Amino acid sequence: MVEHYDVAVIGAGPSGAAAALHSVRRGFETVLIDSAEFPRDKTCGDGLTPRGLHQLNQLGVEVNPTYRNRGLKLHGFGTSATAPWPSTYPCDEGTALQRHRLDALLVDAAVAAGATLLAGNAATNPQLDGNFLTEFSVGETQIRAREVIVADGVRSTFGQKLGRIWHKGEVFGIAARSYCESPFSDEPWMHSHVELRNEDGVVQPGYGWIFPIGDGSVNLGCGALSTAQRPAKLNTKKLLSLYASQQRDEWQLGPEKFITSAALPMGGAVSNVAGANWMIIGDAAACVNPLNGEGIDYGLETAALAAQLLGTNKDLTLVWPDLLRQEYGEAFILARTLARVLTYPQFLPVAGPIGLRGPMHLAARLMGNLITDEDRDITARLWRAAGSAVATARCGSPLWDSTY
Ligand SMILES: Cc1cc2nc3c(=O)[nH]c(=O)nc-3n(C[C@H](O)[C@H](O)[C@H](O)COP(=O)(O)OP(=O)(O)OC[C@H]3O[C@@H](n4cnc5c(N)ncnc54)[C@H](O)[C@@H]3O)c2cc1C
């Protein structure tokens, strides 16, 4: 059986569901495909910074309306600091919502807007004519679409068949999450513990988090940065349990439930993210902030960007990676470089205590990449200048380059 669409979107996580929603709203007949049935779980911290919430507001999808947070509280090295979300960003509040709920909300919104959902079968067997994707299979069905958006997540099994390569020499994340009951589930701050020690007391290059959800539970997890040269030698699930035991009394935590772990590519460290009529977005395109591991927002943003190119009849092979570099290139290269420094074991124990006593109002803004092109203040100018200088210095490193 052959089905024809204007646009096919592979993967119905936040990136794919948002892309399908944009696509139908632009008038394209759109199919949204996922190997899973919804609702489905996804390993995540569930945190939505103002960047993510802003995108959801733009989409008109209301998320966890009874809970909002005001910024970050950072702890470690004998001190704590409060970093409110910056008032300069178009949205100045954040939230959190379990991914099985968030992702289902977005899929429902796409379907309600008119997208056809094919759930429960993976997209496989792409047929290429040069780098033009002519058709692929979903179960017994052949899908032919004029344009295809690939949003198949970290492993990007479909993307790999199209030639997508993940460069593990660049910094990437490994992380685990769990859910715990807590009477402080309404606490209006996201908490991060940057002095994350293993059972031998050694500081790890990452952080633990407790993100309140407002429903009687918190998302508790930990993550570390790694590179092929300096792999983080840790068991994230074990570290999570240790971290939970350290936080148990203060947060009156119930037992950790639903512990899962995953790796995440970051900062655009992948190649071959587009062909003549297809674009890779979200995690599959390594659109994750290396400084805080957030990717839901970039998934939603890249969905909106990709949707703008639909129906333009352009060969997307170079247009799409060029657009990604223009939007995120300098910020991601700078963040990737700073994150790489954190993987040196000597760095964090020395820099951590100094950093936490620094100007904390800047931390949430810089870590969250909450600087807009319109911002003209000194911090924004310095951040952009540093991004530009690092991008020039590291111009050979992989950043959505194309080898077609
Ligand atoms: C432990 C951890 C904590 C995190 N915490 C946060 C956080 O607090 N805030 C934040 O913003 N980000 C966080 N992230 C990152 C965030 O989870 C991802 O950036 C986000 O899920 C990206 O969404 P996506 O739609 O690109 O991919 P996904 O959400 O992974 O969706 C991909 C979808 O594609 C489907 N799929 C895969 N292959 C196929 C195929 N061949 N055919 C059909 N369907 C397919 C999958 O079933 C899946 O539904 C965290 C990540 C981890 C691992």
Side-chain angles (χ1 to χ4, degrees):
M1 196 166 72
V2 180
E3 291 184 9
H4 295 260
Y5 295 91
D6 297 328
V7 175
V9 181
I10 298 173
S15 313
L21 187 50
H22 284 293
S23 172
V24 277
R25 282 184 182 164
R26 290 203 49 208
F28 298 112
E29 198 180 338
T30 304
V31 62
L32 176 61
I33 299 151
D34 203 290
S35 45
E37 303 268 3
F38 285 78
R40 61 101 180 87
D41 187 27
K42 155 77 178 82
T43 304
C44 189
D46 304 331
L48 288 161
T49 66
R51 203 168 175 129
L53 197 53
H54 176 58
Q55 285 302 313
L56 290 162
N57 292 342
Q58 300 281 97
L59 282 168
V61 175
E62 192 177 51
V63 169
N64 205 2
T66 56
Y67 172 75
R68 289 290 178 266
N69 60 50
R70 303 210 292 267
L72 283 174
K73 281 195 192 256
L74 298 162
H75 312 274
F77 307 102
T79 189
S80 285
T82 301
W85 301 128
S87 56
T88 43
Y89 199 72
C91 172
D92 63 357
E93 52 186 14
T95 188
L97 185 65
Q98 293 94 339
R99 286 291 301 276
H100 71 92
R101 292 170 64 195
L102 174 72
D103 294 16
L105 272 177
L106 282 161
V107 168
D108 286 351
V111 172
T116 301
L117 177 65
L118 296 183
N121 273 312
T124 57
N125 199 22
Q127 303 295 308
L128 289 163
D129 179 3
N131 72 5
F132 188 97
L133 179 55
T134 51
E135 64 176 45
F136 58 90
S137 315
V138 177
E140 300 294 303
T141 309
Q142 292 299 108
I143 303 286
R144 290 188 191 149
R146 280 210 295 271
E147 286 166 304
V148 181
I149 294 178
V150 181
D152 56 351
V154 174
R155 282 200 296 256
S156 190
T157 46
F158 192 89
Q160 281 184 53
K161 292 191 184 117
L162 299 174
R164 176 263 203 193
I165 301 164
W166 173 5
H167 300 279
K168 291 193 174 168
E170 295 298 317
V171 76
F172 61 93
I174 49 171
R177 72 98 224 260
S178 67
Y179 293 101
C180 300
E181 286 172 14
S182 167
F184 302 109
S185 174
D186 286 327
E187 153 73 12
W189 298 91
M190 300 169 90
H191 289 251
S192 292
H193 293 83
V194 294
E195 186 182 353
L196 187 63
R197 292 183 186 270
N198 66 11
E199 66 272 25
D200 300 322
V202 179
V203 177
Q204 302 298 302
Y207 68 92
W209 69 78
I210 298 181
F211 295 163
I213 301 179
D215 65 347
S217 71
V218 297
N219 183 312
L220 179 147
C222 64
L225 294 161
S226 194
T227 66
Q229 297 86 349
R230 280 181 300 289
K233 296 189 184 89
L234 56 89
N235 177 331
T236 49
K237 291 185 180 177
K238 225 163 118 184
L239 194 61
L240 181 147
S241 293
L242 182 65
Y243 172 60
S245 68
Q246 290 158 357
Q247 299 302 320
R248 179 143 286 120
D249 286 351
E250 190 178 337
W251 286 80
Q252 296 176 35
L253 295 171
E256 311 91 85
K257 290 188 244 170
F258 313 114
I259 304 176
T260 55
S261 64
L264 62 166
M266 294 172 151
V270 294
S271 302
N272 299 334
V273 290
N277 66 335
W278 54 269
M279 295 172 271
I280 300 186
I281 66 170
D283 269 17
C287 291
V288 174
N289 181 348
L291 288 181
N292 63 7
E294 66 177 341
I296 299 171
D297 44 3
Y298 295 99
L300 298 172
E301 288 181 18
T302 51
L305 286 172
Q308 282 172 22
L309 291 173
L310 295 172
T312 56
N313 289 324
K314 288 181 179 161
D315 180 330
L316 301 165
T317 312
L318 299 178
V319 171
W320 178 237
D322 277 351
L323 184 56
L324 287 174
R325 277 190 291 271
Q326 193 183 309
E327 288 290 323
Y328 307 115
E330 292 184 353
F332 272 10
I333 278 276
L334 176 58
R336 224 162 77 183
T337 306
L338 294 172
R340 173 183 281 269
V341 175
L342 289 173
T343 64
Y344 287 93
Q346 306 83 351
F347 181 78
L348 201 54
V350 176
I354 304 166
L356 276 176
R357 286 171 178 82
M360 269 306 122
H361 61 287
L362 300 183
R365 190 170 174 211
L366 297 183
M367 279 175 73
N369 193 16
L370 295 173
I371 289 178
T372 66
D373 288 345
E374 291 72 40
D375 290 348
R376 294 282 172 266
D377 58 284
I378 184 77
T379 309
R381 285 169 197 264
L382 284 173
W383 184 249
R384 278 195 288 266
S388 166
V390 171
T392 308
R394 299 198 59 202
C395 66
S397 50
L399 189 68
W400 302 297
D401 48 313
S402 176
T403 58
Y404 289 119

